[in-house]
Amino acid sequence: MSSKAIQSRFSISTPIYYVNDLPHMGSAYTTIAADAIARFNRLKGKSVLMITGTDEHGQKIQRTAEAAGRSPQAHCDQYAAAFVSLWEKMNIQTDRFIRTTSARHEAIVYEFFQRVWESGDIYMGQQQGWYCVSCEEFKEERELLDDHHCPLHPNKAAEWRDEQNYFFRLSKYQSALEQLYSDRPDFIQPESRRNEVLSFVSQGLQDFSISRVNVEWGFPLPVNPDHTIYVWFDALLSYVTACVDLEAEPTLENALSGGWPVDIHLIGKDILRFHAVYWPAMLMSANLPLPGQVFGHGFLTKDGQKMGKSLGNVIDPVDLVARYGSDAIRYYFLKEIEFGRDGDFNEARFINILNADLANDLGNLLNRTLKMVYKYCDRQVPTVAISEIPAEDILRSKGEMLGEQVTQAYQALAFSQACEAILSLVRASNKYVDEQAPWTLYKQGKQVELERVLYGVLESARLAAYLLSPLIPNVSTSIYQQLGYSVDFNQQDAAAPFETHSLWGALPTGQTLGEAMPVFQRLELPAPPT
Ligand code: MSP
């Protein structure tokens, strides 16, 4: 592969989700964000690998399957399918869906284990401590609530364990990790998460156990089949497996040529240590390159508590998407919650924001402008040379900066900022129509001014739709089609290249417009139950 081709690749992963239960809005949140970033990079013409999947081994899954009276594999098959189906409903474009029970993954786990074994980083020891099965993690006594309950799963008690396990020599990598964080300050994002990790690591790293004796549902340890491989050791490797081309043999070599290391691991803040500390150390031990960045976002909360399957306070994304459609959900969660921070879900607020931003500001802007263009300009984009629009014109000056501003925001995963910048052009356009009053210009016979105004507004609506397309691809497609394009933002083709379409002034003059129709139907709050 040429270096140019390698440069134009982009890869992003979500965590792989536990299949102990159906997906909830918290799991959908990470995946929507990853999809938006993947789509943005596709718009930019990159060859993108968007990786997600399911985490199917370990005690939590084993117990859930037992309680349901199913074999673990049958249980995993059923629940993995629920994730695949939700991603389709949420309009997620997945390139690789990796399941940890697949034979391809097993091959990678064994090859990787062997390398770490040969590095001398695995040894047998005695593990004593409190284990939270919901986190699949040993906890320090001081991390637990009274009665040894885990703060993330306050209705579940951690369990005391005292058993022989194989350990990974994490402590050996203390200084190499510190060096990594200082050489690559962007490795952990946002800053608050980086600080958490620095503080954790500065307290001194302890080796961690990577095998279990009481869990059958996992890959047997090659060096001692009485043990299975710890679910997290196995799970992290899914990112490597996912990089192997689908037709290639599952080997580390092929993962390297297929795209490992990924650019961004997008995760929730609860699993930061695994990704920012354990994982880079494991990769160093196996002599594999490290990922570009680990970004830990916040939690979705309901009434202030982390939304989670264990707490039973989840919002059902299948129900939400059936009632409101995928664009609404994608937009709300990415616009409303500053990415990196926690955010609460409130249905009334959800509806207000969508109605205000998409139905009123964006939808009405397009609709009213199209109708004027039908009437005053014979359904065609007015013939206006951009050079005739003064540089200080509010729409031109805002529009000319927008592509770059929004690019920077997407690159920093600052979705709210991207939306705010785009919406600010949309709001300015609505105000501009009110102030310039094209209907008056028409009556006064000022056709040149009229066309300049209408062009500016149409073009601003187009640019807004283009830059919002990673978040609301269906709405953006509808806007583009009404503007006379045959572009579909759900097709991964190059029909609307970034170099031209991200610039204000790209709307071709003389283009015949399509039929005006509402781009986003106003939402109503469901009637309260009687
Ligand atoms: N299986 C592990 C990840 C292994 S990755 C190699 C896991 N799975 S999980 O299903 O419990 O969680 C997956 C992701 O969903 C995590 O990033 C977690 O932070 C995220 N969320 C789960 N509940 C969440 C909220 N309430 N809000 C936002 N994200 C949350 O951990």
Side-chain angles (χ1 to χ4, degrees):
M1 175 160 303
S2 75
S3 63
K4 182 157 187 303
I6 288 170
Q7 260 178 13
S8 67
R9 277 178 173 180
F10 175 80
S11 51
I12 185 161
S13 66
T14 75
I16 51 166
Y17 300 100
Y18 286 129
V19 289
N20 60 313
D21 210 337
L22 296 172
H24 62 81
M25 202 50 232
S27 12
Y29 181 56
T30 327
T31 316
I32 290 171
D35 181 65
I37 294 298
R39 283 178 183 261
F40 176 71
N41 280 280
R42 286 194 199 100
L43 272 189
K44 293 202 79 179
K46 300 219 174 161
S47 152
V48 171
L49 208 53
M50 149 50 177
I51 299 168
T52 187
T54 41
D55 192 354
E56 306 191 355
H57 284 133
Q59 185 146 36
K60 174 154 78 169
I61 309 300
Q62 181 177 315
R63 283 189 183 168
T64 312
E66 271 163 18
R70 277 189 288 261
S71 76
Q73 192 62 62
H75 173 87
C76 292
D77 292 348
Q78 184 181 336
Y79 280 77
F83 281 87
V84 173
S85 145
L86 178 63
W87 304 152
E88 277 168 18
K89 292 189 169 87
M90 290 283 182
N91 204 0
I92 306 285
Q93 296 181 330
T94 303
D95 298 297
R96 297 287 158 78
F97 188 93
I98 179 79
R99 297 184 56 186
T100 53
T101 53
S102 65
R104 293 173 68 77
H105 180 58
E106 183 177 20
I108 291 288
V109 171
Y110 281 149
E111 191 185 344
F112 187 92
F113 182 92
Q114 193 55 34
R115 282 212 193 177
V116 177
W117 181 260
E118 283 163 14
S119 299
D121 286 340
I122 296 176
Y123 65 94
M124 168 83 98
Q126 190 70 19
Q127 171 77 62
Q128 282 186 326
W130 293 101
Y131 193 71
C132 171
V133 177
S134 294
C135 293
E136 292 280 16
E137 183 179 15
F138 277 101
K139 302 276 172 175
E140 297 289 328
E141 183 111 32
R142 60 184 154 80
E143 292 177 298
L144 297 171
L145 305 172
D146 296 343
D147 301 336
H148 298 109
H149 282 64
C150 163
L152 288 177
H153 305 100
N155 56 347
K156 299 263 168 74
E159 300 171 17
W160 178 253
R161 296 282 158 79
D162 184 357
E163 62 189 41
Q164 276 206 326
N165 285 167
Y166 285 85
F167 281 74
F168 171 71
R169 263 185 234 286
L170 181 64
S171 55
K172 174 174 152 187
Y173 293 93
Q174 170 101 23
S175 55
L177 286 170
E178 284 169 340
Q179 193 64 48
L180 162 70
Y181 308 140
S182 94
D183 290 350
R184 289 170 52 187
D186 288 343
F187 181 68
I188 305 165
Q189 286 291 310
E191 193 65 21
S192 54
R193 305 274 178 264
R194 173 177 143 82
N195 293 338
E196 266 172 53
V197 170
L198 293 186
S199 138
F200 171 73
V201 173
S202 70
Q203 290 164 34
L205 291 174
Q206 314 247 324
D207 298 346
F208 68 98
S209 63
I210 57 160
S211 78
R212 296 290 180 268
V213 278
N214 55 354
V215 183
E216 281 163 35
W217 187 235
F219 296 128
L221 211 72
V223 294
N224 183 346
D226 293 339
H227 291 240
T228 51
I229 294 185
Y230 172 42
V231 58
W232 267 101
F233 190 90
D234 162 349
L236 288 161
L237 282 161
S238 63
Y239 301 135
V240 175
T241 310
C243 289
V244 181
D245 285 342
L246 296 175
E247 322 69 48
E249 282 267 295
T251 62
L252 295 178
E253 189 74 31
N254 285 338
L256 286 169
S257 56
W260 179 261
V262 304
D263 293 302
I264 303 181
H265 287 318
L266 204 56
I267 56 163
K269 62 182 181 180
D270 50 337
I271 54 176
L272 187 62
R273 253 178 231 178
F274 288 105
H275 286 81
V277 184
Y278 295 12
W279 181 223
M282 285 164 60
L283 289 163
M284 287 174 190
S285 171
N287 199 20
L288 285 173
L290 308 184
Q293 182 173 94
V294 174
F295 191 105
H297 64 67
F299 284 156
L300 297 188
T301 56
K302 180 104 183 296
D303 310 320
Q305 263 200 321
K306 181 193 174 207
M307 190 187 296
K309 299 173 252 199
S310 315
L311 277 180
N313 62 348
V314 297
I315 294 169
D316 176 7
V318 176
D319 168 62
L320 217 54
V321 78
R323 284 196 283 136
Y324 300 119
S326 57
D327 277 8
I329 296 169
R330 298 165 62 99
Y331 184 77
Y332 174 82
F333 284 103
L334 295 182
K335 146 106 201 281
E336 188 47 17
I337 302 169
E338 191 187 322
F339 204 61
R341 292 179 179 257
D342 293 354
D344 217 53
F345 177 78
N346 173 295
E347 199 153 344
R349 185 156 175 72
F350 171 86
I351 286 176
N352 285 342
I353 286 186
L354 289 157
N355 285 343
D357 291 5
L358 301 188
N360 295 351
D361 288 348
L362 184 59
N364 285 349
L365 176 69
L366 183 72
N367 207 270
R368 69 202 286 221
T369 314
L370 283 178
K371 288 190 175 146
M372 287 188 274
V373 180
Y374 291 169
K375 200 160 151 201
Y376 307 141
C377 313
D378 200 20
R379 296 185 85 94
Q380 287 187 349
V381 176
T383 304
V384 173
I386 295 300
S387 55
E388 287 166 19
I389 301 181
E392 62 281 4
D393 174 276
I394 182 76
L395 301 190
R396 179 175 170 187
S397 59
K398 265 180 170 298
E400 284 184 341
M401 284 179 344
L402 194 66
E404 187 48 38
Q405 256 176 333
V406 171
T407 299
Q408 283 181 15
Y410 278 129
Q411 277 166 352
L413 276 62
F415 300 104
S416 327
Q417 255 179 43
C419 291
E420 283 306 339
I422 299 166
L423 258 282
S424 139
L425 177 64
V426 170
R427 292 192 190 114
S429 304
N430 273 313
K431 194 160 162 246
Y432 190 76
V433 173
D434 297 341
E435 287 169 359
Q436 301 288 325
W439 45 90
T440 307
L441 295 174
Y442 178 71
K443 277 194 205 134
Q444 294 169 340
K446 295 183 173 162
Q447 190 67 17
V448 174
E449 284 92 330
L450 168 69
E451 294 194 358
R452 216 180 271 165
V453 168
L454 291 179
Y455 181 89
V457 177
L458 274 185
E459 171 55 357
S460 299
R462 180 206 64 78
L463 183 61
Y466 186 75
L467 295 172
L468 282 172
S469 69
L471 272 60
I472 49 169
N474 297 338
V475 167
S476 296
T477 299
S478 166
I479 295 178
Y480 253 62
Q481 292 182 352
Q482 293 181 49
L483 290 172
Y485 290 96
S486 57
V487 165
D488 179 349
F489 287 103
N490 290 307
Q491 297 299 317
Q492 302 181 15
D493 58 23
F498 196 82
E499 303 74 60
T500 46
H501 284 245
S502 66
L503 299 179
W504 196 88
L507 183 64
T509 59
Q511 178 157 289
T512 303
L513 299 173
E515 219 39 63
M517 58 187 75
V519 295
F520 187 85
Q521 292 289 352
R522 283 186 70 78
L523 305 176
E524 305 288 340
L525 250 189
T530 44

